[in-house]
Amino acid sequence: MQEIIIDGNSLSLEDVALVAIQKAPIRLSEESIAKVTRCREYVESIIANGDVVYGLTTGFGKFSTVSIAKENIAELQANLIRSHAVSVGEAYNEEITRAIMLLRIAVLAKGHSGIRLQTLQTLVQMLNAGIHPVIPMRGSVGASGDLSPLSHLALVLIGEGEACYRGTKMSGAQAMSKAGISAVTLEAKEGLALNNGTQVMAAIAALSLISAENLCKQADVLAAMSIDALLGTPNAMNPLVHALRPHPGQLISAKNINSLLKNSPLRDSHKNCANVQDAYSLRCTPQAHGAARDALAYARKVLEIEINSATDNPLIFPEEKQVISGGNFHGEPLAIAMDTMAIAISELANISERRMEQMLNPALSRGLPAFLAHRPGLDSGYMIIQLTAASLISENKVLTHPASVDSIPTSANQEDHVSMGSVSAIKLLQVVENVSTVLAIEWMIAAQAIDIREIKSSAALELAKARLREFSPRLAKDRVMYPELHKSVAAIKECAVLKAVEQSGIKIY
């Protein structure tokens, strides 16, 4: 696999996914090597001069007024990492951990953090070798960035803490030894360069955004399946309607659904029926899905800036001969973006479940049997799987309360306003999981409804149905369905619906 070149300025969200998920190797650009080296030389000149500079020759946070003797500076940096590594709970999975490592490397590669090139190159070696520090999920308030979880990452760099290597959890020292990588003894500024920043939040946001964008595309496909199964009218998707309210996401969603329903025999079978308008969950799909898309577009802009930004403190400007203590570590931009993302995609699930109700309720389904059971009463059909969707949607309503509106002062009121972005991130992960499951359930229900009609849908939607039927056959009588539901969720996460319909030549945007 081609290497991803890290220069601190041009990383894309797709690059993050390649490194995190596909395990693409990375290396530093020659330009970044030169910038890191130049910045470090300036740091060492400050130390040699005995200047008092926050984080280099002083304590941290409320201890910023305490000067540290030159002979204690190395101990200061190690103590920073050890004392701050106090996160708790379940550890982040391998993909998120790799994204965190990558984004921390990218920040350091900008050449404004004062880290030694040797230390940065060791982080690169760790990522390429597959040494994944164990980083517990809870313990950050989102300012000064993700101090505690990033300290767990840095522990392994100095030969402490815990890591997973080749599928086995072990001590950080063992992992480094097995990979043949020497642990680092930190010098001035390096501890602060390693644990001060927003990379945990940004990593989760980046991977969640990519998942959410794919969920939007698949939601359009599943909505089209449901509309066709319900003998819905295509009038509401007419481009003339959407041109008069041209929100970008709405236009895209309407175009996708129109393309998917085109040339559907099932749609053509009721062209001259008396139905002139459908329930909102059908005819307002482009408006609801489009709003989610537009919210994600905002989040993407935030993240494209964030993953190429310097977010530690203090920032070092060797050309200007300045060390400036600022606030780029504050997670507010990410916290608000992630809360917005969670709200946006939760609406995909909300409207999806209402389309399920239209298909399962015989008073609404235009001739479909109750709960799509072949033997209603003897069989329950899809009655209870809808309850699963309802449960997850209700959970989302709790999870989408914004964490970014909260703040608890820390560090003796030195850090008197924090973003709580890490809480936004953890909630977002669960919302993505819940929405994936709800859409998987709609896939199963819509496929059953189309089969019961006994008239084919469009070629594209038939491909989507056929993909599901590889592991979830048509329901002729009640059976244990959770194994196929789990497979359906996994397939949604792998974009199986999207890949299936695009085999027909239709591009989903």
Side-chain angles (χ1 to χ4, degrees):
M1 189 178 294
Q2 185 174 353
E3 286 181 319
I4 304 296
I5 308 301
I6 307 300
D7 60 14
N9 299 309
S10 59
L11 195 66
S12 71
L13 293 168
E14 288 66 32
D15 290 337
V16 176
L18 281 172
V19 174
I21 301 168
Q22 303 298 327
K23 298 185 178 179
I26 69 169
R27 67 177 171 87
L28 301 176
S29 71
E30 292 302 317
E31 180 187 9
S32 71
I33 289 173
K35 288 190 296 184
V36 169
T37 301
R38 186 163 59 249
C39 187
R40 184 63 199 181
E41 289 171 351
Y42 178 54
V43 167
E44 291 177 354
S45 72
I46 292 172
I47 303 301
N49 292 337
D51 298 339
V52 177
V53 178
Y54 172 71
L56 278 71
T57 58
T58 73
F60 311 106
K62 197 65 177 177
F63 292 131
S64 60
T65 57
V66 179
S67 294
I68 306 299
K70 186 180 297 187
E71 61 269 21
N72 297 129
I73 287 176
E75 183 182 359
L76 170 72
Q77 301 303 314
N79 283 348
L80 174 70
I81 299 304
R82 291 169 182 145
S83 66
H84 284 46
V86 287
S87 291
V88 297
E90 180 184 351
Y92 287 113
N93 65 29
E94 182 179 291
E95 292 176 356
I96 293 173
T97 302
R98 291 183 61 82
I100 293 168
M101 296 175 73
L102 170 67
L103 295 184
R104 195 66 216 156
I105 289 166
V107 166
L108 298 171
K110 291 185 73 67
H112 291 281
S113 299
I115 200 166
R116 288 175 299 157
L117 179 61
Q118 168 198 347
T119 305
L120 179 54
Q121 290 284 27
T122 302
L123 272 178
V124 172
Q125 288 179 298
M126 288 169 59
L127 181 58
N128 286 340
I131 295 176
H132 303 126
V134 174
I135 304 175
M137 293 176 70
R138 288 172 169 82
S140 172
V141 296
S144 301
D146 296 304
L147 286 171
S148 183
L150 287 174
S151 294
H152 283 271
L153 187 163
L155 274 180
V156 179
L157 178 71
I158 65 174
E160 300 180 21
E162 294 180 305
C164 289
Y165 180 62
R166 295 184 177 176
T168 302
K169 184 177 177 180
M170 61 189 72
S171 72
Q174 286 177 305
M176 296 288 275
S177 176
K178 286 180 179 292
I181 301 172
S182 298
V184 170
T185 299
L186 299 179
E187 295 187 8
K189 179 59 170 72
E190 292 195 299
L192 203 53
L194 290 164
N195 77 353
N196 199 288
T198 61
Q199 283 63 58
V200 175
M201 291 179 280
I204 295 169
L207 296 181
S208 295
L209 176 70
I210 291 169
S211 295
E213 289 174 338
N214 288 328
L215 288 175
C216 280
K217 293 177 183 179
Q218 294 183 102
D220 281 351
V221 177
L222 300 173
M225 288 182 71
S226 297
I227 290 168
D228 219 15
L230 286 161
L231 308 181
T233 173
N235 290 345
M237 309 301 158
N238 192 308
L240 292 173
V241 172
H242 300 283
L244 295 180
R245 196 192 192 195
H247 292 293
Q250 179 177 330
L251 293 172
I252 292 169
S253 185
K255 180 180 179 180
N256 285 340
I257 295 172
N258 265 329
S259 298
L260 291 160
L261 291 172
K262 188 176 181 180
N263 299 324
S264 165
L266 182 53
R267 190 187 75 168
D268 292 342
S269 71
H270 59 92
K271 256 187 177 178
N272 299 316
C273 69
N275 178 38
V276 294
Q277 65 176 22
D278 297 315
Y280 288 3
S281 58
L282 279 65
R283 63 177 156 127
C284 299
T285 292
Q287 288 81 1
H289 287 194
R293 287 172 173 273
D294 290 342
L296 296 183
Y298 145 70
R300 176 173 272 272
K301 288 179 181 178
V302 171
L303 283 165
E304 286 172 341
I305 293 170
E306 188 73 12
I307 65 174
N308 290 294
S309 297
T311 59
D312 52 328
N313 182 60
L315 290 171
I316 300 167
F317 300 87
E319 303 301 329
E320 293 81 5
K321 304 298 182 185
Q322 291 189 62
V323 180
I324 303 175
S325 186
N328 280 2
F329 50 70
H330 202 290
E332 200 72 41
L334 287 171
I336 292 173
M338 288 187 288
D339 283 340
T340 302
M341 288 167 62
I343 291 168
I345 64 168
S346 71
E347 279 299 283
L348 299 179
N350 281 350
I351 196 169
S352 170
E353 189 276 334
R354 289 294 82 199
R355 292 191 294 262
M356 295 178 208
E357 172 68 11
Q358 293 285 321
M359 290 182 280
L360 298 178
N361 187 336
L364 304 171
S365 65
R366 295 174 181 156
L368 293 170
F371 304 107
L372 305 183
H374 281 283
R375 303 173 298 175
L378 178 60
D379 293 321
S380 294
Y382 290 84
M383 179 191 296
I384 304 304
I385 203 169
Q386 184 191 12
L387 270 65
T388 300
S391 171
L392 297 176
I393 288 165
S394 184
E395 182 181 342
N396 281 352
K397 291 172 185 176
V398 176
L399 292 171
T400 51
H401 178 86
S404 56
V405 299
D406 186 29
S407 179
I408 297 177
T410 58
S411 192
N413 231 39
Q414 175 82 354
E415 299 162 2
D416 59 347
H417 180 272
V418 298
S419 74
M420 294 299 176
S422 64
V423 180
S424 301
I426 293 169
K427 294 195 297 95
L428 176 60
L429 285 174
Q430 189 61 55
V431 171
V432 170
E433 180 73 23
N434 290 351
V435 173
S436 300
T437 303
V438 172
L439 293 182
I441 292 170
E442 184 179 9
W443 191 14
M444 296 170 71
I445 290 173
Q448 177 79 357
I450 289 173
D451 277 344
I452 290 173
R453 295 292 186 194
E454 296 187 345
I455 302 175
K456 286 189 179 296
S457 185
S458 68
L461 296 180
E462 285 293 324
L463 285 169
K465 180 163 68 73
R467 178 68 182 89
L468 178 78
R469 292 290 178 245
E470 291 175 14
F471 52 82
S472 178
R474 178 174 175 172
L475 188 66
K477 61 181 181 179
D478 283 354
R479 62 175 181 258
V480 176
M481 280 198 291
Y482 74 83
E484 59 202 75
L485 172 57
H486 294 172
K487 290 178 182 178
S488 181
V489 175
I492 289 286
K493 292 178 181 178
E494 294 169 1
C495 298
V497 171
L498 187 61
K499 294 172 183 175
V501 300
E502 290 188 343
Q503 290 175 11
S504 70
I506 291 178
K507 177 69 175 174
I508 304 299
Y509 297 94

